Amino acid sequence: MTPASKESPTPEGAAVGRRTVLGAAAAAAAAPALLGRTPAAAAPARNGPRALPGGGDLGPNVLVFDPSTPGIQAKLDEVFAKQEKAQFDAGRYALLFKPGTYHGLNAQLGFYTSIAGLGLSPDDTTINGDVTVDAGWFDGNATQNFWRSAENLALVPVNGTNRWAVAQAAPFRRMHVRGGLNLAPAGDGWASGGYLADCRIDGTVEPRSQQQWYSRDSAVGGWSNGVWNMVFSGVEGAPAQTFPNPPYTVLDTTPLSREKPFLHLDGDAYRVFLPELRTNARGVTWGNGTPRGTSLPLSQFYVAKPGDSAATLNQALAQGLHLLLTPGIYHLGEPIDVTAANTVVLGLGYATLIPDNGVTALKTADVDGIRLAGLLIDAGPTNSRTLLEIGPDGASADHAGNPTTVQDVFVRIGGAGPGKATTSIVVNSRHTLVDHTWVWRADHGAGVGWETNRADYGIRVNGDDVLATGLFVEHFNKYDVQWYGQRGRTVFLQNEKAYDAPNQAAVQNGDVKGYAAYKVADSVTSHEAWGLGSYCFYNVDPSIVQHHGFAAPNVPGVTFHDLLVVSLGGKGQFERVINDTGAPTSGSSTVPSTVVAYP
């Protein structure tokens, strides 16, 4: 996400990179009918394709351990050796631990690696040891530690504190750390994450050099500091509201939340648990034993393997099956078309969808309760108009009681190779809950350039009553977030404008200098957002001026809380924070300009 961070380490004697600049700136089972779906067909349809089976093997890249498994540490080390530096490679892994107690482990996580317990509660699966993310592979700079996750485990860290030094797309969910949590790499090099939800940290969370962080519906024993933008909603033990100094934005509860679906064991049988919707949530879902929700047997899922076509996945959906995508890369010749209410599409180990020939990767109907989780969508070389569409154009049905949820769904344009998309995510369905996404037009890797990986817009919200908790959206050629729906709400945004704009003219928006990171349409009369940050690092033309980070109609029903813009090392400048309000950035000091309330 952020620094020279994202640039490869430079040879000795090269120009000072962003890392140096930033260093100076630091301081119970449910029947299918209950979920609105029909059971899978037991026999082939007459004159049609043979019915696809539900359930089955999870494939070679899902590694399942129990406490008696020999050589666990060696296997963890083997996967890490493959994935530590594999930022744009094809390896994908899920490391799953059956309930029980494990001793003396250090699970170091590299790219595209997920680790998770298989109990209903994190405390069902205890590791006396660590789940570690550090940055030795990148000279102590953690700002490229993307695409890895930890879920549903209890940890007893060897030295009392677990290290989780991450950047974007690296969620820490349903974790119980019986000690402290350090969010910075060894040596306090830069980090630019991050997201934590449904976690209990018994000790203190230490962001240290971590630039921004969003914590939701959790409990912490303490919180030690903040750099630019630390946002909390529904977190027991969170610090008091003090933005901008320290930069803490604190909501007592989260307006609406529903935790991510997760795989678990019932005896020897795999099931997928679907947590229930919570209103004005605070604290963890699992603190009093079994979480509230429903559980589906794996037999109701088509267990997809890399190489399965979109036609096969759509056949499974048409039969009434949910989708469980095992780790790997899936090329799609047509969109995955999710049409039935309450369908679950769950990816393991950063299962990756690549749309071929300019198609959209995944579309949903305007129905209740679809759950999309744990997916990486990689744009293909032929421009896609959209990559993910939640509801069709004009969707208007009320889903207040059972919204569609989009969780840990990440989008990438370029980096792994050529990719283009006009708009990455379009949300048309009302009441959609977007809970943690990183939508990234790549600034490094293969297939990167102002026109090479052209992507004008990150997220466009057309539907009313949409809530976003944890938006990370970066580097788009024009607007990063556009909001047209009424009564929208966002809790936390981390944004960087595109580094590689060649000149001022390339980002000129009519009479306005630059496109806002977050634009609320002039037609909107009700909108609210908390804890938004936008950064510029125009390293191709440092003279570029961005008029503001945020743009919105100046009407009583549109309100913002705790905004900041910052010029990273003077590579470009902001004239204002929101509309014509807020002090300009200046010089090379990397000091944020803030607005506490707007209007």
Side-chain angles (χ1 to χ4, degrees), residues 8-381:
S8 297
T10 53
E12 187 174 355
V16 174
R18 228 197 76 168
R19 174 156 39 108
T20 304
V21 170
L22 292 176
L34 293 178
L35 294 171
R37 295 188 59 83
T38 56
R46 184 173 303 218
N47 299 323
R50 179 174 295 275
L52 296 168
D57 178 73
L58 298 180
N61 284 8
V62 176
L63 308 180
V64 182
F65 306 103
D66 66 43
S68 65
T69 302
I72 297 177
Q73 186 65 56
K75 180 56 70 172
L76 297 175
D77 292 345
E78 177 187 333
V79 172
F80 180 64
K82 292 177 181 177
Q83 299 305 117
E84 180 184 11
K85 302 178 183 180
Q87 184 168 177
F88 298 115
D89 289 358
R92 303 288 188 273
Y93 292 90
L95 312 174
L96 305 182
F97 286 75
K98 295 181 180 181
T101 301
Y102 300 78
H103 298 284
L105 298 182
N106 182 18
Q108 299 184 78
L109 299 188
F111 288 97
Y112 314 110
T113 305
S114 298
I115 189 170
L118 288 169
L120 275 175
S121 164
D123 289 330
D124 293 339
T125 311
T126 298
I127 292 178
N128 288 303
D130 297 81
V131 172
T132 301
V133 178
D134 206 344
W137 74 278
F138 200 50
D139 296 334
N141 182 338
T143 55
Q144 291 185 27
N145 281 349
F146 314 137
W147 305 306
R148 62 201 76 196
S149 66
E151 302 183 45
N152 205 29
L153 292 165
L155 305 179
V156 184
V158 170
N159 294 318
T161 299
N162 190 78
R163 187 182 302 278
W164 185 256
V166 296
Q168 288 69 31
F172 202 73
R173 288 184 180 269
R174 292 179 60 79
M175 296 289 287
H176 185 187
V177 180
R178 298 175 191 163
L181 185 64
N182 184 346
L183 303 180
D188 286 349
W190 278 98
S192 61
Y195 174 94
L196 176 154
D198 203 22
C199 291
R200 182 178 297 279
I201 314 301
D202 292 350
T204 298
V205 180
E206 301 176 53
R208 303 177 73 89
S209 57
Q210 184 67 246
Q211 294 162 348
Q212 63 278 314
W213 195 272
Y214 174 48
S215 302
R216 178 183 64 72
D217 298 356
S218 294
V220 300
W223 193 275
S224 68
N225 73 288
V227 176
W228 291 334
N229 193 31
M230 303 282 133
V231 179
F232 308 81
S233 67
V235 177
E236 298 170 352
Q241 167 73 33
T242 53
F243 187 89
N245 188 25
Y248 297 153
T249 298
V250 182
L251 287 73
D252 188 58
T253 61
T254 304
L256 195 73
S257 59
R258 183 164 62 191
E259 298 306 326
K260 179 183 171 185
F262 62 91
L263 199 64
H264 72 101
L265 279 172
D266 181 11
D268 293 328
Y270 287 107
R271 303 179 70 92
V272 174
F273 192 84
L274 308 180
E276 71 172 10
L277 192 67
R278 298 204 294 170
T279 302
N280 296 322
R282 181 173 172 83
V284 301
T285 63
W286 46 269
N288 296 316
T290 303
R292 297 172 63 91
T294 55
S295 182
L296 300 177
L298 199 63
S299 60
Q300 291 184 20
F301 286 77
Y302 177 68
V303 179
K305 306 292 197 304
D308 281 342
S309 67
T312 297
L313 302 179
N314 284 329
Q315 180 190 343
L317 291 169
Q319 287 179 205
L321 291 168
H322 307 276
L323 296 181
L324 182 73
L325 278 65
T326 62
I329 295 174
Y330 298 75
H331 280 270
L332 306 175
E334 62 186 75
I336 299 173
D337 197 9
V338 183
T339 60
N342 301 302
T343 301
V344 180
V345 180
L346 176 61
L348 301 179
Y350 287 82
T352 301
L353 309 177
I354 302 180
D356 295 329
N357 302 317
V359 302
T360 298
L362 191 151
K363 298 181 177 182
T364 73
D366 192 23
V367 296
D368 276 358
I370 292 171
R371 306 193 197 210
L372 310 177
L375 303 171
L376 173 59
I377 300 174
D378 229 340

Side-chain angles (χ1 to χ4, degrees), residues 105 107 162 167 248 301 388 446 473 482 538 545 581:
L105 298 182
N162 190 78
Y248 297 153
F301 286 77
L388 173 63
V473 189
Q482 302 174 89
Y538 288 116
V545 173
T581 299

Side-chain angles (χ1 to χ4, degrees), residues 362 364-366 372 385-396 399 403-406 409 423-435 437 439 458-468 471 481-486 488-489:
L362 191 151
T364 73
D366 192 23
L372 310 177
R385 184 180 68 89
T386 60
L387 294 172
L388 173 63
E389 293 182 16
I390 307 301
D393 291 345
S396 60
H399 305 296
T404 287
T405 50
V406 180
V409 173
T423 305
S424 291
I425 299 177
V426 177
V427 180
N428 293 313
S429 288
R430 291 180 62 193
H431 301 102
T432 298
L433 177 56
V434 180
D435 177 46
T437 186
V439 185
I459 297 178
R460 178 177 174 132
V461 178
N462 296 320
D464 294 340
D465 307 293
V466 171
L467 171 64
L471 287 183
V481 178
Q482 302 174 89
W483 210 293
Y484 290 86
Q486 298 288 354
R489 293 174 291 180

Side-chain angles (χ1 to χ4, degrees), residues 493-561:
L493 167 75
Q494 182 272 316
N495 165 263
E496 286 184 350
K497 298 306 299 174
Y499 295 171
D500 57 343
N503 49 50
Q504 186 74 49
V507 294
Q508 192 70 15
N509 182 15
D511 295 332
V512 179
K513 299 172 185 175
Y515 289 82
Y518 188 100
K519 165 68 172 175
V520 179
D522 292 344
S523 58
V524 171
T525 58
S526 178
H527 188 91
E528 191 165 14
W530 299 260
L532 312 185
S534 180
Y535 323 140
C536 71
F537 184 68
Y538 288 116
N539 60 345
V540 174
D541 182 359
S543 70
I544 291 175
V545 173
Q546 178 86 20
H547 180 62
H548 48 217
F550 311 98
N554 188 2
V555 297
V558 176
T559 57
F560 289 79
H561 314 272

